[in-house]
Amino acid sequence: MPDCADESLPLSVEKSVRSIEVSVSGKGIWSLEAHKMMNNWFLSSGPKKVRILNAKVQADGASGDPYVEEGDAYLTELSNERTKGQAVGASIKIDFDGTPTITTKP
């Protein structure tokens, strides 16, 4: 709270975090079998247990760096794109249901 006795002092804003959201997104190409599974997951509107691994941290990160996030998550965005004569690409967004479990590099 600002000092009410000295109105020349600047006001301050106090904040507190009420919630956080952890998500991951990416683009790539996957197999026809994976395409069916991803579509089923998206259309189900239900969670799946997922494990997101940061391969760069696993290979080159320092001890204590977070490199795996895992937990229940929803596939909240799914889009496909194709250029004639090329493979079908996909873009996804995965939102964790709550805070994922974090594994750090040993």
Side-chain angles (χ1 to χ4, degrees), residues 11-78:
L11 297 177
S12 62
V13 177
E14 295 181 8
K15 295 183 181 186
S16 65
V17 175
R18 295 186 53 101
S19 65
I20 62 170
E21 181 178 0
V22 180
S23 63
V24 63
S25 61
K27 292 181 178 186
I29 297 171
W30 56 55
S31 67
L32 189 56
E33 294 81 10
H35 179 71
K36 180 178 179 181
M37 185 269 302
M38 295 298 279
N39 270 300
N40 287 344
W41 180 20
F42 181 70
L43 295 173
S44 77
S45 301
K48 279 191 171 287
K49 289 204 175 295
V50 299
R51 184 172 190 258
I52 309 295
L53 172 85
N54 185 322
K56 180 67 173 168
V57 172
Q58 186 179 29
D60 302 325
S63 178
D65 285 348
Y67 79 103
V68 174
E69 297 169 292
E70 54 191 319
D72 289 338
Y74 294 89
L75 182 59
T76 57
E77 292 180 22
L78 173 65

Side-chain angles (χ1 to χ4, degrees), residues 72-87:
D72 289 338
Y74 294 89
L75 182 59
T76 57
E77 292 180 22
L78 173 65
S79 63
N80 298 114
E81 176 181 304
R82 181 173 187 270
T83 303
K84 188 173 181 177
Q86 296 182 4

